[in-house]
């Protein structure tokens, strides 16, 4: 048997002719296409790998076999990416690290990446099916959706799209929830598992605990029916299930408050999503208007929640409000664009240690956001900060554009 449990080439049947003892690339069969024996051989090989050696199982096995607790207390949860980085093959006595060692280490990253993507894909597919059924949204409804044009126009104008009951299409908000469930959740979920220091800090807030069940407080701006909550919950569950001592660890609880301009219209859809996801208790809906200041009387709940928030998420909402968020302000007689309103106040008032995640279809606001962040004790990572260091990237783009910020000091 080889490392992943598959049979070696001397015992594996050829995928071309079905013969024993040679690889397909060395097959001398005169048949141009695979014969029935070859097809059956390939099918058995794939079924065996899929059945007995999934990437998730591999991650669980190498996490346990490699005993990551050696450098940690017995009941401490392990971030798999942080641990893999600490175990990178290095030369101790001046001897060269073999290519095999490097390949085996790299394969663990591959296992982890495919495992988290597979778990996400399976979970979200089942969730979408349940949501479609409960909202009575068919594939034909999704195909006939006209939201793409409206959303593109909203970004161009910098003004929010109409998601209220005043919209001519009564079914539009339900269709949007079903259609965007997978892509919106995927972008945030996969970004969480990027291999960089900022995403490691995000994962540290999602890891399980041995002493007591922790709660991570998330604030989702313009989060519609609760896409961000679903992403965090799937990631949190995955991080718990791969732990070597998972039976001794309590999973992290994600409590998400969704803030949206059309909160009254989104709330019934959010409740349906929460029911489908079996997590109605920790997902709530509230009002926000990004065009106003945080001090506005409509933002009393937002001001209160900001005091204890751990993670703030703004997915595909800021550029739809860009004409209000970034405005010309005269400084020393020269007009300059600056962040104003709720976003300015959040950057000013968020507690130290807060993580902010922004994804969008454009990045024209990012320079102004980074400038405001710099003035208020935030550090950040986005496209411009992904410069190569010694031939390696610090991070890879998940969504088309993203910006991750951490408030290090409260100014």
């Amino acid at each position: 048997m080889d490392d992943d449990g598959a049979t070696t080439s001397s015992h594996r049947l050829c995928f071309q002719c079905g013969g024993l003892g040679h690889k397909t690339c060395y097959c001398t069969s005169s048949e141009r296409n695979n014969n029935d024996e070859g097809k059956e051989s390939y099918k058995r090989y794939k079924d065996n790998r899929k059945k007995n050696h999934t990437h998730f199982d591999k991650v669980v096995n190498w996490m346990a076999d490699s005993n990551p607790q050696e450098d940690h207390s017995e009941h401490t949860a392990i971030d798999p990416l942080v641990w893999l980085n600490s175990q990178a093959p290095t030369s101790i006595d001046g001897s060269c690290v073999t290519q095999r060692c490097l390949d085996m280490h790299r394969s663990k990253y591959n296992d982890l990446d495919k495992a988290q993507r597979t778990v996400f894909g399976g979970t979200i597919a089942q969730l979408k099916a349940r949501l479609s059924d409960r909202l009575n949204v068919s594939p034909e409804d999704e195909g006939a959706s006209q939201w793409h044009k409206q959303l593109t126009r909203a970004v161009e104008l910098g003004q929010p799209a109409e998601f209220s009951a005043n919209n001519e299409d009564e079914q539009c908000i339900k269709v949007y929830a079903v259609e965007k469930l997978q892509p919106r959740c995927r972008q945030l979920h996969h970004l969480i598992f990027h291999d960089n220091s900022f995403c490691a800090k995000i994962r540290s807030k999602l890891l399980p605990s041995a002493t007591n069940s922790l709660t991570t407080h998330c604030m989702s701006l313009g989060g519609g029916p609760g896409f961000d909550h679903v992403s965090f919950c799937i990631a949190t569950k995955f991080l718990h299930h791969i732990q070597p001592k998972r039976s001794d660890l309590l999973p992290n609880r994600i409590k998400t408050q969704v803030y949206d301009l059309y909160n009254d219209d989104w709330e019934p859809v959010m409740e349906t999503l929460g029911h489908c996801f079996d997590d109605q208790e920790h997902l709530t809906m509230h009002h926000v208007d990004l065009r106003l200041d945080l001090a506005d009387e409509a933002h009393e709940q937002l001001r209160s929640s900001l005091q204890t928030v751990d993670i703030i998420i703004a997915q595909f909402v800021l550029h739809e409000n860009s004409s209000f968020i970034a405005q010309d302000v005269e400084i020393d007689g020269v007009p300059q664009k600056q962040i104003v309103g709720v976003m300015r106040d959040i950057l000013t008032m968020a507690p130290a240690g807060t993580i902010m995640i922004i994804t969008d279809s454009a990045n024209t606001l990012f320079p102004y956001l980074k400038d405001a962040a710099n003035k208020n004790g935030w550090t950040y990572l986005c496209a411009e900060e992904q410069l190569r260091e010694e031939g390696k990237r610090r991070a890879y783009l998940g969504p088309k554009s993203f910006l991750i910020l951490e408030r290090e000091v409260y100014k």
Side-chain angles (χ1 to χ4, degrees), residues 167-186:
N167 195 295
E168 296 178 359
D169 184 0
E170 296 181 357
Q171 184 79 344
C172 67
I173 199 168
K174 297 179 180 179
V175 174
Y176 179 90
V178 173
E179 183 181 11
K180 295 298 183 181
L181 175 66
Q182 194 263 4
R184 290 294 162 84
C185 292
R186 179 190 63 214

Side-chain angles (χ1 to χ4, degrees), residues 57-72 78 80 83-84 86-88 104-105 107-108 111 242-245:
D57 292 335
K58 288 182 180 180
V59 172
V60 172
N61 289 336
W62 58 249
M63 283 277 284
D65 294 343
S66 301
N67 191 22
Q69 272 77 19
E70 289 178 354
D71 300 322
H72 301 79
I78 306 299
W83 182 78
L84 279 175
S86 72
Q87 300 297 308
M104 289 181 66
H105 185 68
S107 71
K108 291 182 171 66
D111 291 338
I242 64 172
Q243 297 298 320
K245 299 288 185 179

Side-chain angles (χ1 to χ4, degrees), residues 294-306:
L294 185 61
D296 190 273
E297 61 180 9
H299 295 150
E300 181 180 356
Q301 179 62 49
L302 180 60
R303 291 193 299 273
S304 175
S305 301
L306 190 61

Side-chain angles (χ1 to χ4, degrees), residues 133-153:
D133 183 61
R134 287 185 175 273
L135 293 180
N136 194 28
V137 174
S138 67
E140 289 74 21
D141 293 328
E142 291 187 65
S145 172
Q146 297 297 314
W147 271 103
H148 304 91
K149 294 180 180 178
Q150 296 186 45
L151 292 173
T152 299
R153 185 63 174 163

Side-chain angles (χ1 to χ4, degrees), residues 361-379:
S361 56
N363 56 14
T364 52
L365 281 178
F366 288 2
Y368 313 125
L369 287 166
K370 290 191 291 186
D371 183 59
N374 266 330
K375 295 175 181 177
N376 289 283
W378 297 74
T379 57

Side-chain angles (χ1 to χ4, degrees), residues 113-127 181-190 193 227 230-232 234-235 238:
D113 182 63
K114 290 189 176 181
Q116 58 93 0
R117 288 173 182 267
T118 300
V119 169
F120 170 83
T123 303
I124 213 71
Q126 295 178 25
L127 181 58
L181 175 66
Q182 194 263 4
R184 290 294 162 84
C185 292
R186 179 190 63 214
Q187 289 173 347
L188 176 57
H189 180 273
H190 292 357
F193 286 95
F227 295 144
V230 172
S231 301
F232 280 123
I234 296 175
F238 177 86

